[in-house]
Amino acid sequence: MAAQRALRTNNEADHPSSPVLQFGPDKPLKLDAGTVLSPFQVAYQTYGILNDARSNAILVCHALTGDQHVANTNPVTGKPGWWEVLIGPGKIIDTNRFFVICSNVVGGCLGSTGPASINPATGRPYGLDLPIITIRDMVRAQLMLVDHFGIEKLFCVLGGSMGGMQVLEWAASHSERVFSVLPIATGARHSSQNIAFHEVGRQAVMADPEWHGGKYLDFGRRPEKGLAVARMAAHITYLSEAALHRKFGRNLQDREALTFGFDADFQIESYLRHQGMTFVDRFDANSYLYLTRAMDYFDLAADHGGRLADAFAATKTRFCLVSFTSDWLFPTGESRSIVHALNAAGASVSFVEIETDRGHDAFLLDEPELFAAINGFIASAARARGLSL
């Protein structure tokens, strides 16, 4: 079964189970790295119907290990979409009212051009020959997708974590193209601690002898052990100590006593090993390197002379920021600094800090307060935009 999922993941890199928009040499993607990506493609999903005025479009931006399958069954895992609890007919983001777009980011591994995609110049997977991708590059590709639909102004852009970084980049670089934004559990830059955790993960991947300098697909191999360790380390940052204690404590895994060995004696060890093993079946190791690097490079203030408020100068976009009290990956202070910058820029901004012990991953879970905040903001923005209920 794992081998079958791995094969499906490899097939999804170039021939995804979703619509694909291809851009030829006449439409290159200009990259922050100083080069261009051409040709390239963007894989995406849509839900709902775009109205005649093209005013009801919502762009959803996925997190580091997410994809375009936000509200439909994932073709690799067979599991429901990662935000299906929020998006769909009659749900908070009602696809009977809104036209929802979600694309796989450039650098990803489920259909948009990434390191597992075939390099047309060589006929082999890009591997590390793919130029470094930034959050701004991801947004540039999304803008080209939005233009394809003839959408002059998005009603809303929302997302959490790395998705929230994309949301902030939309608001900073293309504010005239978006009416409202909802960045969740994110920050205007990656902290040194976050960069450190990502570097541990990258080194785990690159230390795996099956990595082959990034050319593992040429050898028909995958650095599964290294990627699994990277996922295990990262997953700890998505939770909180309180949540870990509540779920696992020091409970033993399927045994009455310690084994005095290095098997998974504790439930938390078994849980992390499971997270690592299932992750390698659906995600490309080089994509993990590229996307973590994109997050590390993100720094909105540095992109605007060191002053974050200047990133949002004269913006007319409506903002709602959401943070979680137990999120130590992107603590509330990160959101507050953005709110202060938005206030300095004279922007329309609201802020919600949600009390929960679920940590960073709370934005992906069934959190009533989060849903209430999103529902209230979307409803208010819809009225201001003149979208009928």
Side-chain angles (χ1 to χ4, degrees):
M1 183 63 72
Q4 291 176 346
R5 284 196 295 268
L7 179 60
R8 286 199 294 269
T9 302
N10 289 344
N11 290 340
E12 290 289 322
D14 276 307
H15 306 287
S17 304
S18 63
V20 174
L21 186 59
Q22 297 179 328
F23 296 95
D26 59 322
K27 292 185 177 180
L29 179 62
K30 296 180 181 179
L31 303 177
D32 283 347
T35 184
V36 298
L37 188 61
S38 180
F40 76 101
Q41 67 183 35
V42 176
Y44 64 95
Q45 290 281 14
T46 64
Y47 315 86
I49 299 173
L50 187 63
N51 63 14
D52 292 340
R54 290 181 163 81
S55 61
N56 68 332
I58 293 178
L59 178 68
V60 178
C61 302
H62 70 74
L64 170 62
T65 63
D67 49 52
Q68 69 270 37
H69 303 288
V70 62
N72 61 277
T73 301
N74 188 292
V76 176
T77 66
K79 294 181 179 180
W82 53 269
W83 239 358
E84 204 164 283
V85 67
L86 183 69
I87 300 170
K91 297 181 181 179
I92 292 174
I93 298 181
D94 188 354
T95 50
N96 290 328
R97 295 181 57 205
F98 300 110
F99 178 64
V100 178
I101 308 168
C102 186
S103 66
N104 187 219
V105 296
V106 174
C109 55
L110 252 68
S112 292
T113 298
S117 304
I118 297 300
N119 181 348
T122 65
R124 306 298 302 169
Y126 272 103
L128 298 194
D129 290 336
L130 185 78
I132 290 295
I133 303 295
T134 67
I135 298 295
R136 189 187 288 115
D137 296 332
M138 297 174 187
V139 170
R140 288 189 183 109
Q142 291 167 351
L143 182 62
M144 295 170 74
L145 176 63
V146 169
D147 285 342
H148 166 74
F149 286 107
I151 299 168
E152 182 178 337
K153 192 164 194 171
L154 290 161
F155 165 63
C156 186
V157 181
L158 75 158
S161 195
M162 187 186 84
M165 290 180 168
Q166 296 163 59
V167 174
L168 291 171
E169 182 60 40
W170 267 97
S173 295
H174 308 286
S175 63
E176 76 286 354
R177 299 294 302 272
V178 58
F179 183 76
S180 63
V181 294
L182 224 167
I184 305 169
T186 194
R189 66 176 183 176
H190 232 192
S191 69
S192 59
Q193 177 177 258
N194 291 349
I195 295 171
F197 273 108
H198 276 175
E199 177 61 4
V200 169
R202 288 190 292 264
Q203 288 300 317
V205 170
M206 292 187 284
D208 190 317
E210 299 290 5
W211 186 59
H212 293 289
K215 297 183 181 296
Y216 50 87
L217 293 177
D218 288 344
F219 294 89
R221 312 296 294 179
R222 296 189 303 155
E224 295 181 353
K225 293 180 179 178
L227 183 58
V229 171
R231 174 63 170 178
M232 290 168 68
H235 197 72
I236 296 170
T237 71
Y238 304 153
L239 306 173
S240 70
E241 194 281 331
L244 286 172
H245 180 75
R246 172 168 49 80
K247 291 177 66 175
F248 305 108
R250 289 179 54 85
N251 298 330
L252 299 182
Q253 177 69 28
D254 299 329
R255 62 202 66 191
E256 297 297 328
L258 299 174
T259 64
F260 292 94
F262 295 102
D263 288 335
D265 276 358
F266 297 98
Q267 287 181 3
I268 181 58
E269 294 174 313
S270 178
Y271 171 76
L272 288 176
R273 292 184 188 189
H274 173 74
Q275 288 292 325
M277 288 187 295
T278 57
F279 183 62
V280 301
D281 292 338
R282 69 174 181 86
F283 212 83
D284 175 64
N286 281 338
S287 273
Y288 192 82
L289 304 185
Y290 274 81
L291 300 190
T292 55
R293 203 47 158 173
M295 293 183 72
D296 291 348
Y297 280 4
F298 185 65
D299 189 341
L300 267 187
D303 291 341
H304 293 82
R307 179 175 161 80
L308 186 56
D310 288 350
F312 308 110
T315 183
K316 302 299 182 184
T317 303
R318 290 169 168 251
F319 291 78
C320 178
L321 282 86
V322 180
S323 71
F324 303 101
T325 54
S326 56
D327 184 352
W328 58 277
L329 191 63
F330 288 102
T332 292
E334 300 283 337
S335 292
R336 289 191 187 279
S337 66
I338 300 170
V339 171
H340 293 156
L342 288 166
N343 286 333
S348 170
V349 57
S350 57
F351 170 59
V352 180
E353 181 185 29
I354 295 173
E355 182 78 32
T356 178
D357 72 351
R358 288 172 150 182
H360 180 66
D361 260 2
F363 80 94
L364 295 171
L365 304 175
D366 189 349
E367 279 287 347
E369 286 189 58
L370 171 64
F371 294 164
I374 294 174
N375 187 45
F377 179 71
I378 291 289
S380 175
R383 287 193 295 269
R385 182 67 167 155
L387 296 176
S388 59
L389 298 178

